[in-house]
Amino acid sequence: MPIINRVADLQPEIMAWRRDLHAHPELMYDVHRTAGFVAERLKEFGCDEVVTGLGRTGVVGVIRGRKPASGEHKVIGLRADMDALPIEEETNLPYASKTPGKMHACGHDGHTSMLLGAAQYLAETRNFAGDAVVIFQPAEEGGAGAAAMIKDGLMDRFKIDQVYGMHNNPGMPVGSFALRPGPIMAAMDRISIQIEGKGGHAAYPHKTVDSVLVGSQLVMALQTIVSRTVNPLESAVLSICEFHAGHASNVIPATAELRGTVRTLNAEVRDLMEKRMNEVVNGVALQTGAKIVLDYDRGYPVVVNHRAETDMAVRVASEISGAEKVNIDMPPVMGAEDFAYMLEARPGAFIFCGNGDSAGLHHPAYNFNDDAIVYGTSYWVKLVETTLAA
């Protein structure tokens, strides 16, 4: 089945919402304007219940369909993220960000607008048996807004049985979808390493414990964990992204600090990475005489798609775009997503939709492709109507 005619009719309105949200980006949990915009639209659509302030600034709308003939009342949750990024926009679009240093560089404006469009359609038609719960989440970009909403009772309060998420993907053709069962996005851990040596004059290095040299040795040693400890058939990334030390060209600094990230796709490799990092840090400290402290901070878990719900997502996406445009075995992505928390709480699936030939995510020239709106919105609608068929 192609895109829904009514959704195509709604496309200009959904696009207008998207561009308004794009012009007014907000960060993390501070999405008060966006949340207010969403809540107002949901009330206009006639949602049976609109709840604000869940997970601090999250918004939830409940749309009730027909009473199931079987007597088994099912509830499906659909999630979109609302927050932007601390990036200066470089698109020069007429609807570019009006807030310096903030922009929707990940397409959350598009995600929010597509789910709003689906909510409008579902509230109009109610051609399903059970409840559709539309979830608008803050703080996906590093703030674990999904976990905050779950902690505030999202799943239990609305009796959600299964939950689905969607993200645009630059480089994939518009109208195409991609997903896989099992791990689809990586766990994301933050690492911070404090090095304490002994500073001194650059002309007399033998009288110092050079924190720059220690840090350099440590960076190289840490890279051997992935190449020589992790099974080559498994996936792991260890990237040191910051190295801070010193303030003068003739002074060996006493201290240095390294920061970075670790990405993995299963719990065993995650545990191995943390264990080996501690061992390598301790070994370099013993070798150099420096004091080294590793802070390994576990962040978002692995996004793991459930088999039955992934099969349902494939079925619906194939009806919208055709089976030839649905990649059912996409390679896992080493980026992270806090939808992982929702998939730990309930069975569900996370899918990617094509954004065409655009700049990459988190790039100052990125823009969500409005041509993708009809496909993403139709997917949400048909997912509800198929999952909650009378």
Side-chain angles (χ1 to χ4, degrees):
M1 175 178 180
I3 60 173
I4 299 167
N5 289 336
R6 174 60 176 144
V7 169
D9 292 339
L10 288 172
Q11 198 270 352
E13 186 174 12
I14 299 171
M15 181 178 69
W17 298 335
R18 204 280 295 182
R19 294 185 176 189
D20 177 84
L21 294 174
H22 187 91
H24 300 92
E26 297 174 299
L27 305 183
M28 296 288 280
Y29 288 97
D30 188 24
V31 290
H32 301 287
R33 182 190 186 277
T34 306
F37 182 96
V38 167
E40 186 176 344
R41 299 288 87 72
L42 295 178
K43 291 173 183 175
E44 289 175 357
F45 303 158
C47 290
D48 298 284
E49 189 176 354
V50 177
V51 177
T52 60
L54 204 71
R56 292 167 61 177
T57 46
V59 181
V60 175
V62 179
I63 306 165
R64 297 191 175 94
R66 298 188 303 274
K67 184 177 180 180
S70 65
E72 183 183 5
H73 190 90
K74 294 182 179 179
V75 182
I76 183 174
L78 314 176
R79 173 272 206 171
D81 33 21
M82 299 187 290
D83 57 322
L85 285 156
I87 295 175
E88 187 71 31
E89 183 161 354
E90 297 178 1
T91 65
N92 296 314
L93 292 165
Y95 53 86
S97 171
K98 300 181 185 298
T99 307
K102 300 177 184 179
M103 76 167 288
H104 272 292
C106 203
H108 296 187
D109 50 342
H111 303 164
T112 295
S113 300
M114 289 190 295
L115 188 53
L116 279 175
Q120 181 172 3
Y121 180 96
L122 292 168
E124 287 177 359
T125 59
R126 301 184 187 258
N127 186 30
F128 57 93
D131 291 353
V133 177
V134 288
I135 304 161
F136 297 87
Q137 178 208 304
E140 189 281 322
E141 298 289 357
M149 292 190 78
I150 293 168
K151 185 177 179 181
D152 271 2
L154 171 66
M155 299 300 177
D156 295 332
R157 176 173 177 176
F158 300 100
K159 298 179 173 59
I160 294 171
D161 298 308
Q162 51 189 290
V163 65
Y164 293 83
M166 177 164 48
H167 204 293
N168 76 94
N169 195 15
M172 270 175 53
V174 170
S176 64
F177 293 90
L179 73 170
R180 64 180 289 116
I184 188 169
M185 294 190 74
M188 184 277 292
D189 301 331
R190 299 178 184 88
I191 52 177
S192 176
I193 302 173
Q194 307 294 327
I195 301 169
E196 182 180 338
K198 180 182 178 183
H201 198 295
Y204 308 105
H206 58 292
K207 296 182 179 181
T208 72
V209 176
D210 187 346
S211 65
V212 174
L213 181 60
V214 173
S216 300
Q217 287 184 240
L218 193 53
V219 170
M220 297 304 294
L222 289 171
Q223 296 308 315
T224 66
I225 297 175
V226 174
S227 66
R228 288 297 178 269
T229 303
V230 175
N231 186 327
L233 300 180
E234 299 285 359
S235 297
V237 172
L238 194 167
S239 293
I240 300 297
C241 304
E242 297 181 57
F243 192 141
H244 303 281
H247 301 283
S249 62
N250 62 346
V251 178
I252 292 174
T255 62
E257 181 177 17
L258 310 179
R259 295 195 191 102
T261 185
V262 174
R263 309 295 174 106
T264 51
L265 288 171
N266 67 57
E268 293 76 17
V269 174
R270 194 180 199 183
D271 290 342
L272 175 63
M273 291 296 295
E274 182 174 5
K275 175 177 178 289
R276 287 294 292 135
M277 283 194 70
N278 275 292
E279 291 171 349
V280 168
V281 163
N282 292 336
V284 172
L286 183 63
Q287 177 190 1
T288 62
K291 178 182 178 182
I292 310 176
V293 177
L294 167 66
D295 179 18
Y296 193 103
D297 179 25
R298 295 203 175 200
Y300 295 171
V302 181
V303 179
V304 181
N305 278 345
H306 298 248
R307 169 63 72 172
E309 288 71 25
T310 301
D311 290 345
M312 175 60 74
V314 169
R315 172 184 168 186
V316 171
S318 298
E319 290 177 358
I320 298 298
S321 295
E324 71 281 1
K325 294 184 179 179
V326 181
N327 181 355
I328 62 174
D329 192 27
M330 69 170 288
V333 176
M334 297 310 285
E337 237 288 349
D338 78 341
F339 189 69
Y341 293 109
M342 294 196 181
L343 290 178
E344 285 186 336
R346 293 293 186 275
F350 193 73
I351 194 169
F352 289 91
C353 64
N355 199 59
D357 186 21
S358 70
L361 301 174
H362 294 213
H363 190 282
Y366 168 85
N367 185 40
F368 180 84
N369 192 331
D370 289 320
D371 291 341
I373 285 173
V374 291
Y375 296 97
T377 304
S378 294
Y379 169 79
W380 282 139
V381 168
K382 295 307 296 182
L383 185 63
V384 172
E385 292 182 343
T386 305
T387 302
L388 302 182

